[in-house]
Amino acid sequence: AQTVTQSQPEMSVQEAETVTLSCTYDTSESDYYLFWYKQPPSRQMILVIRQEAYKQQNATENRFSVNFQKAAKSFSLKISDSQLGDAAMYFCAYFNTGNQFYFGTGTSLTVIP
Amino acid sequence: GAVVSQHPSRVICKSGTSVKIECRSLDFQATTMFWYRQFPKKSLMLMATSNEGSKATYEQGVEKDKFLINHASLTLSTLTVTSAHPEDSSFYICSADGRVTEAFFGQGTRLTVV
């Protein structure tokens, strides 16, 4: 079974600064997708960014970007110009051809004013 | 983006009773829906995969007789917690595949069994 590891249970960042959340995964498949989801206190899961494994170019969405290293099976999320609204739990997720999501254990991000 | 509505958002029930949670895709058809359980400050644990018109596929360790899943239409899946006990208290989240490789999540249901 695929595993997704987030080694940082908690992270903090000063408002307007940049923070990077790390994620590694284990798979023998070559075709898959990776996601970062955000879960604010409301508990609603919100898609932050998605990366297709067959694409070499790193995905970006406004202030959010990823560093996808396929050989190293690493998928980190960079949040630039951090805002107070970015405070949340962040989950890294792996999606395979078997139509299943596997989630990491999450990183709780605190944004310091 | 696509909307998935989960109802109720909170429910309190007595031990021994059953509780039904609904998950609806409001503006798209979902042949597959997923049910997750999330413990406080923990990740989402996949409980089962619900496929329209067929039996759900349960993850190892999940009691299918306790957590009944029905996916009778392309827009509705239900999770029924039967004979609930306090240890079933948790946050339950559904998701639906709106399109290939992206899941849309419901708002979640906080179940408290007293």
Side-chain angles (χ1 to χ4, degrees):
Chain A
Q2 283 76 11
T3 57
V4 179
T5 302
Q6 291 178 250
S7 60
Q8 307 153 314
E10 296 180 345
M11 291 283 284
S12 61
V13 62
Q14 290 285 146
E15 192 175 5
E17 297 295 310
T18 295
V19 65
T20 299
L21 308 183
S22 61
C23 172
T24 58
Y25 58 94
D26 183 28
T27 185
S28 58
E29 299 179 335
S30 59
D31 187 18
Y32 52 89
Y33 297 77
L34 296 164
F35 299 80
W36 278 97
Y37 278 91
K38 168 184 177 181
Q39 188 180 41
S42 68
R43 307 293 291 272
Q44 174 73 57
M45 295 287 283
I46 301 168
L47 176 64
V48 175
I49 200 165
R50 177 177 72 183
Q51 174 80 44
E52 292 88 342
Y54 64 85
K55 289 187 178 180
Q56 292 186 332
Q57 187 174 7
N58 289 323
T60 62
E61 286 287 341
N62 300 312
R63 299 183 294 108
F64 300 88
S65 62
V66 299
N67 183 3
F68 173 48
Q69 302 290 327
K70 191 173 184 178
K73 297 179 183 175
S74 170
F75 183 61
S76 61
L77 173 70
K78 185 171 80 171
I79 305 174
S80 304
D81 185 25
S82 297
Q83 300 176 358
L84 295 177
D86 294 335
M89 280 289 288
Y90 285 82
F91 292 98
C92 178
Y94 170 100
F95 180 89
N96 67 1
T97 53
N99 205 33
Q100 284 188 325
F101 274 89
Y102 297 90
F103 288 89
T105 51
T107 297
S108 177
L109 179 65
T110 300
V111 180
I112 303 166
Chain B
V3 177
V4 175
S5 176
Q6 191 172 337
H7 178 80
S9 59
R10 292 175 180 266
V11 59
I12 301 173
C13 71
K14 291 184 177 181
S15 185
T17 62
S18 296
V19 174
K20 180 184 286 187
I21 303 170
E22 293 187 346
C23 181
R24 292 181 184 274
S25 56
L26 297 186
D27 51 1
F28 66 98
Q29 293 182 330
T31 56
T32 305
M33 291 186 176
F34 302 91
W35 288 95
Y36 298 87
R37 183 172 180 174
Q38 187 179 28
F39 292 100
K41 297 186 179 180
K42 296 292 184 182
S43 186
L44 280 68
M45 181 190 77
L46 179 64
M47 298 175 64
T49 303
S50 169
N51 297 298
E52 186 269 336
S54 64
K55 291 183 178 180
T57 303
Y58 290 81
E59 295 298 299
Q60 191 173 9
V62 178
E63 299 176 60
K64 59 181 66 177
D65 293 332
K66 168 171 260 313
F67 299 100
L68 299 179
I69 291 173
N70 183 275
H71 194 158
S73 76
L74 288 171
T75 59
L76 173 65
S77 176
T78 60
L79 167 68
T80 302
V81 183
T82 63
S83 187
H85 291 286
E87 57 264 32
D88 298 326
S89 298
S90 191
F91 193 72
Y92 294 88
I93 306 176
C94 72
S95 73
D97 284 347
R99 52 178 182 261
V100 176
T101 75
E102 182 167 351
F104 299 99
F105 288 85
Q107 309 94 316
T109 297
R110 181 177 300 282
L111 170 63
T112 303
V113 185
V114 298

